[in-house]
Amino acid sequence: MRVSSNNNTAIIIMALFALLASSSSRRTVGVFSFQLPSTSVSSSSRRRLLSSRVFSLTTSKSKTPAPDVSSSKGPIVNEQAYENVSMDEIVSLCKRRGFIFPSSEIYNGYAGFYDYGPLGSELKRNLKDRWWNNFVTQREDVVGLDTSIIHNPKTWKSSGHLDGFSDPMVDCKETKLRYRADQLFYSPVVLQDDDNTVVGYVCVQEGNDDDMVKTANKQAKALKKRKDIKGVRHQSFAFKELVEATEEEMAQIASPAAPDKPGS
């Protein structure tokens, strides 16, 4: 099942902090790190400074004391950092320390777009450099290519983008809403009885698994109520893309906006 784009925030933030934690030129505590002063400072002063700058995240559920790094010679990792910290705390920390911000946030912003502050810009650059080094520089069968996205229109026609790339759309006959067919999923509602009876179909929009199942359960419950089916549970849903449905199935599948109207 494909993942909703709303999860991009978590992926970007966790990737940035993972990169920060793996930096060889920094001392690390949990998922955070900071730059040490130059080597001209004495080791005792470095330890005192390090101890004074150590911080750790704690939550109301579990308060984990900061590890003692005064006598450590290598990176100190808080094993429980990822488990105890919440996503809201990470997002709040990113904003306070200038890592990453929702784009145009003061004007309500745009979902999926982000701006990077001074620290975030450095992390993003390091992440791209690590990726490039791993997948391009260290391989003999891959080379880099950086081209313009502005081309002569004949280029897009020759590549098939103008003629061959189109998103199939479907319209709801009841509400007149339009959907992309490849973002709609349907599943038969199969009863848990001896005959595995199919009583109808549910149709939901693409999203994370939990939301799709929750919406489908509501539709299945309403479907069984309309058919006066009581005391019988239905099996787990087997979602398929709407573009795979047959004509017979399409006649029984309702629009997500009008689940009580089969064929809508």
Side-chain angles (χ1 to χ4, degrees), residues 44 90 127 135 137 143 150 158 177 187 214:
S44 59
I90 294 179
L127 183 62
F135 290 101
T137 307
V143 294
I150 306 300
S158 300
L177 294 177
S187 172
K214 183 178 180 180

Side-chain angles (χ1 to χ4, degrees), residues 99-110:
F99 283 96
I100 186 172
F101 312 88
S103 183
S104 307
E105 185 178 20
I106 62 174
Y107 301 106
N108 296 327
Y110 283 104

Side-chain angles (χ1 to χ4, degrees), residues 161 163-170 178-183 243:
H161 283 77
D163 300 327
F165 290 83
S166 61
D167 297 322
M169 308 296 291
V170 292
R178 174 167 289 187
Y179 302 93
R180 277 182 52 177
D182 60 343
Q183 292 182 349
V243 294

Side-chain angles (χ1 to χ4, degrees), residues 205-223:
Q205 288 185 272
E206 181 181 19
N208 64 60
D209 292 349
D210 292 338
D211 290 343
M212 292 176 64
V213 171
K214 183 178 180 180
T215 303
N217 278 324
K218 290 182 179 179
Q219 294 183 13
K221 183 178 180 180
L223 175 64

Side-chain angles (χ1 to χ4, degrees), residues 241-259:
E241 289 189 8
L242 189 63
V243 294
E244 301 177 13
T246 63
E247 293 184 6
E248 293 78 9
E249 291 174 330
M250 286 295 293
Q252 303 179 60
I253 298 174
S255 163

Side-chain angles (χ1 to χ4, degrees), residues 14 16-18 20-21 28-33 57 78 81-82 85 90:
M14 296 306 292
L16 292 176
F17 276 110
L20 182 59
T28 306
V29 177
V31 293
F32 307 100
S33 64
L57 276 180
N78 184 350
Y82 291 100
V85 70
I90 294 179

